[in-house]
Amino acid sequence: GAGVSQSPRYKVAKRGQDVALRCDPISGHVSLFWYQQALGQGPEFLTYFQNEAQLDKSGLPSDRFFAERPEGSVSTLKIQRTQQEDSAVYLCASSSLRQGGAFFGQGTRLTVV
Amino acid sequence: AQRVTQPEKLLSVFKGAPVELKCNYSYSGSPELFWYVQYSRQRLQLLLRHISRESIKGFTADLNKGETSFHLKKPFAQEEDSAMYYCALSKAGANSKLTFGKGITLSVRP
């Protein structure tokens, strides 16, 4: 497909478990963003990649959160030792360098029990 | 610090009524402003950007720098406009992160 693809769509994790969330951006999009959306809130920025370089990770809430994009295409957001407050929808977005705004994936809904 | 405020959580109108979804922002500099929409069970998608000065699906939004507002308007609401709407801003002239408001649910009744 032509859009941003995220997997899995839903993930239930036991507290303390590690999880990995995947994002396939639109082909050719240089920029890739991760956002976290808690229930009833707007998306909040986590981290930003330009190609394989992670240029901004100021939004990552703790050192349990780690993101990578080793070949400048697919990205993975990893959360170690998940906690209940990590329960949220994790959104990935991509865009070309010249374009403002971004195209979003459908998100991964993470529930930590 | 940059911030986007959407003061209302829900707006319910009848079909054919005018709609105004409010958005205020704070930002030191010249931001780029956006409205995103999320229909039921669909992904978040860009509705319009202030620099485009377009009308999309009958919606318009004018950037008022004096009032730091970017309200979304439509003269005659349709049932298919029912959705969640988010106002967002980013640094102008660069591909940078978005700061979102909390969103507003628009419900258009028949």
Side-chain angles (χ1 to χ4, degrees):
Chain A
V4 178
S5 178
Q6 291 186 246
S7 60
R9 289 289 313 280
Y10 304 92
K11 176 70 180 177
V12 178
K14 290 185 178 179
R15 192 173 53 176
Q17 185 180 352
D18 297 350
V19 298
L21 313 179
R22 177 186 168 104
C23 173
D24 273 284
I26 292 172
S27 178
H29 276 187
V30 168
S31 299
L32 185 146
F33 302 83
W34 283 99
Y35 292 86
Q36 180 190 58
Q37 186 172 19
L39 190 63
Q41 303 294 317
E44 293 193 358
F45 170 78
L46 293 176
T47 187
Y48 163 59
F49 290 87
Q50 189 175 113
N51 295 306
E52 69 278 3
Q54 190 175 18
L55 298 185
D56 186 347
K57 52 183 181 179
S58 61
L60 296 176
S62 78
D63 58 7
R64 296 185 296 104
F65 285 72
F66 171 77
E68 59 183 5
R69 194 186 184 196
E71 297 178 359
S73 177
V74 170
S75 177
T76 304
L77 176 66
K78 297 178 179 178
I79 309 173
Q80 296 177 323
R81 305 181 303 281
T82 52
Q83 301 178 4
Q84 280 193 316
E85 60 262 31
D86 299 335
S87 295
V89 175
Y90 290 85
L91 297 169
C92 177
S94 71
S95 64
S96 59
L97 262 185
R98 290 195 180 86
Q99 169 191 17
F103 293 89
F104 281 81
Q106 291 189 299
T108 294
R109 181 178 296 279
L110 172 66
T111 304
V112 181
V113 297
Chain B
Q2 54 197 52
R3 186 167 58 246
V4 175
T5 302
Q6 294 180 252
E8 299 155 331
K9 286 189 175 181
L10 171 67
L11 178 63
S12 184
V13 301
F14 285 107
K15 176 182 172 181
V19 166
E20 182 179 64
L21 306 183
K22 292 184 173 17
C23 173
N24 289 89
Y25 67 91
S26 62
Y27 186 83
S28 53
S30 293
E32 188 167 349
L33 274 295
F34 306 85
W35 276 98
Y36 279 82
V37 61
Q38 188 167 27
Y39 301 102
S40 180
R41 296 188 183 87
Q42 294 188 27
R43 67 186 66 199
L44 198 60
Q45 57 186 279
L46 179 65
L47 181 62
L48 53 78
R49 315 163 52 185
H50 89 271
I51 62 172
S52 301
R53 304 189 68 82
E54 298 173 294
S55 173
I56 305 293
K57 299 184 179 183
F59 284 97
T60 59
D62 290 320
L63 180 61
N64 185 322
K65 293 184 178 180
E67 295 183 357
T68 59
S69 68
F70 188 57
H71 303 327
L72 184 68
K73 300 177 184 180
K74 184 169 183 177
F76 308 104
Q78 303 299 314
E79 288 180 66
E80 55 265 30
D81 296 329
S82 295
M84 192 79 179
Y85 290 80
Y86 294 93
C87 182
L89 68 76
S90 73
K91 182 179 176 182
N95 190 259
S96 60
K97 64 186 178 187
L98 292 161
T99 298
F100 286 87
K102 291 187 177 182
I104 181 171
T105 300
L106 173 64
S107 174
V108 181
R109 293 169 287 172

